[in-house]
Amino acid sequence: RTSLGEAPGSAAEATLRVVDMPFEATESLETRADSERVRFRLPLFDAEQPIGAISLDWPSGNEAPEDGGRALRVLSTAAGAALAHHLRIEDLRQTIRARDDVLSVVAHDLQNPINVISLAANSLLHRLPDASARRSLDRIVRGAQRASRMVRDLQEVSAIETGRFVV
């Protein structure tokens, strides 16, 4: 549940809330009254999809306006757009976190096989007397070193983005 805007007041004041908590969405205004409050609630839509609600509450001891829903209708378009924008930003943040998590895991998992390739190629490189055979192994060693640097760069980017980077 996200509250984008809330104007709490004292017991004698009205309260305005915009939330992304879905409820049974109808296009009509819902009015409820109990011993403590009078509530006007209107669903918010984004591209005809219900995304939240805007509500206006009055303490029951105070006189609520006869058409408290009119204020909500005026605010609902802007509140719906603001809530939809907020939800899209949150979705993007979650997507970026998921991407960063995958990159971090991939970088970590690639480091071990690259190390094995590098160690095996270096070991063979020092044992071979033939210069032409060593050239091929030397290319493998250089390729493994480049791959290792790329993986290290990925790990450093991940550490920077998550705040774990130490200089």
Side-chain angles (χ1 to χ4, degrees), residues 42-122:
L42 188 66
L44 299 174
F45 293 88
D46 181 35
E48 300 186 19
Q49 293 293 322
I51 59 170
I54 184 170
S55 67
L56 192 52
D57 297 352
W58 266 268
S60 63
N62 295 332
E63 187 175 324
E66 287 183 23
D67 189 12
R70 186 168 38 129
L72 288 183
R73 285 187 181 95
V74 170
L75 293 172
S76 67
T77 302
L83 182 58
H85 179 73
H86 172 75
L87 293 173
R88 281 192 283 281
I89 288 172
E90 283 303 309
D91 284 345
L92 287 172
R93 285 184 180 140
Q94 288 177 355
T95 301
I96 289 169
R97 275 193 297 272
R99 181 210 59 196
D100 291 345
D101 290 346
V102 167
L103 283 177
S104 179
V105 168
V106 167
H108 181 268
D109 289 350
L110 283 175
Q111 190 63 55
N112 191 41
I114 292 170
N115 287 340
V116 169
I117 292 167
S118 182
L119 286 172
N122 272 316

